[in-house]
Amino acid sequence: MIFAFKIGFLEVRWIDILDILLVSVLLYQVYKLLKGSVAVRVLIGFLVLYLVYLVVRAAQMELLAGILGQFMGVGVLAAIIIFSQEIRKFLLILGKTTFRENGILQSVMIWKRRVEKETFNVTPIIEAIKGLSTTNTGALMVFSKSSELKFYVDSGDLIDAFISKRLLISIFNKYSPLHDGAVIIHQGKVRAARCILPVSERDLPAQFGMRHRAALGMSEATDSLTLIVSEETGQMSVARNGQMDSNLSIPEIRKRINAYLQEAERTENAETTSEQESDEAA
């Protein structure tokens, strides 16, 4: 076997380097699929537990290694059950992957690309919810800063259109076939409408309906901001990080959305700076 190089007593082969690269691509695809959902935390928990199991086994702690080994054996089946929808989604994406469009090669080289930032104008959203609130038209909008929420986007009807007041009002018109469900907004575009959101199991006041419960469930499962316009009262509410603030005014809604988007911009700038420093150090 041809060796690439040695690190002390460790002999690294070319096949080992290829193995590491393939595993890296696989983990990146899984992370991209789960990004923005609560499933990422569950996956990290499994990985940490597996690393502890490897350390315990290497230290020859037989009793603890045996207990963790039994758990890991059952844990594989538990992971399949917990991530059943994500695994199905991953296999569907893998089945339609090509090298020309959204392919593996593009995923490997994605670190070389720089996504062009688009200006996010909040005014059309504010004007739309003002009109929806006045006419007591129910609405549910999800703003995502770090993830396309592809799992939830695929549950609805793809739109991929720039935000406008007329578009949002027409979607949530009670005679529109798209009004029942949520609109997902990412990077200044309406990605999809009629999307299905996870429902919170927490006890809510009687004045909150299914829109509020879905908004709260989405804020618990993802790092998103969800805006609700009540169909009964026309009141506007915002859900974030499992907390809901209701009966907000138009200026307060604008402030919440802008604060969320500015937080996303600061995060992106910090990540870009970190990448540039890493490149300069290399």
Side-chain angles (χ1 to χ4, degrees):
M1 179 64 67
I2 300 177
F3 296 100
F5 54 87
K6 292 184 179 181
I7 304 177
F9 65 89
L10 184 63
E11 297 177 337
V12 180
R13 302 170 298 172
W14 288 110
I15 192 67
D16 296 328
I17 297 176
L18 179 62
D19 188 20
I20 294 173
L21 289 176
L22 291 177
V23 171
S24 301
V25 172
L26 178 62
L27 290 178
Y28 174 75
Q29 292 291 338
V30 173
Y31 170 75
K32 188 170 67 171
L33 180 66
L34 301 180
K35 183 180 179 182
S37 69
V38 72
V40 174
R41 303 172 191 172
V42 180
L43 179 62
I44 292 175
F46 272 111
L47 292 177
V48 171
L49 188 61
Y50 181 67
L51 290 176
V52 172
Y53 167 69
L54 293 179
V55 172
V56 168
R57 190 176 65 176
Q60 296 183 350
M61 302 171 66
E62 296 183 1
L63 180 59
L64 188 55
I67 295 174
L68 290 177
Q70 293 294 330
F71 182 80
M72 294 304 299
V74 179
V76 174
L77 296 177
I80 293 176
I81 296 173
I82 293 174
F83 297 110
S84 58
Q85 294 191 13
E86 284 80 5
I87 292 174
R88 178 177 177 271
K89 198 72 180 176
F90 176 74
L91 294 177
L92 288 174
I93 294 174
L94 189 63
K96 65 181 182 180
T97 296
T98 64
F99 279 85
R100 294 182 59 189
E101 183 179 358
N102 297 327
I104 298 175
L105 184 61
Q106 182 182 5
S107 299
V108 174
M109 302 301 294
I110 195 170
W111 63 275
K112 290 186 176 180
R113 290 196 326 231
R114 293 294 181 266
V115 179
E116 190 174 320
K117 293 183 180 179
E118 297 173 354
T119 303
F120 199 141
N121 187 8
V122 183
T123 302
I125 299 173
I126 299 301
E127 293 297 325
I129 62 174
K130 188 185 300 183
L132 294 171
S133 175
T134 303
T135 58
N136 283 15
T137 302
L140 185 58
M141 305 179 193
V142 179
F143 300 88
S144 175
K145 64 179 182 180
S146 59
S147 171
E148 295 182 6
L149 300 177
K150 186 172 177 55
F151 180 79
Y152 300 103
V153 167
D154 289 345
S155 68
D157 294 331
L158 185 65
I159 295 179
D160 198 26
F162 287 104
I163 299 173
S164 70
K165 174 184 175 181
R166 293 185 181 88
L167 175 61
L168 293 174
I169 291 179
S170 63
I171 288 176
F172 290 111
N173 186 294
K174 63 181 180 180
Y175 299 108
S176 169
L178 299 176
H179 83 282
D180 190 15
V183 159
I184 295 181
I185 299 174
H186 178 63
Q187 291 184 349
K189 284 188 175 183
V190 177
R191 297 297 179 183
R194 207 175 62 85
C195 298
I196 300 174
L197 305 185
V199 179
S200 177
E201 299 295 334
R202 290 161 54 182
D203 292 333
L204 295 178
Q207 67 267 24
F208 291 155
M210 286 303 297
R211 284 191 178 89
H212 296 82
R213 189 172 292 277
L216 191 60
M218 190 66 173
S219 70
E220 294 171 345
T222 64
D223 184 20
S224 61
L225 176 75
T226 308
L227 171 65
I228 315 102
V229 178
S230 173
E231 186 174 358
E232 288 76 18
T233 63
Q235 292 181 354
M236 295 166 289
S237 306
V238 166
R240 175 85 195 281
N241 294 330
Q243 300 293 328
M244 181 174 294
D245 297 323
S246 59
N247 196 17
L248 300 177
S249 64
I250 290 295
E252 289 174 326
I253 293 291
R254 181 187 290 272
K255 182 178 179 181
R256 297 294 180 92
I257 297 176
N258 284 329
Y260 177 77
L261 296 177
Q262 289 171 5
E263 178 184 338
E265 186 176 352
R266 287 194 299 268
T267 302
E268 290 178 0
N269 291 336
E271 292 177 352
T272 302
T273 303
S274 177
E275 290 178 1
Q276 291 175 350
E277 292 176 351
S278 300
D279 293 340
E280 291 175 357

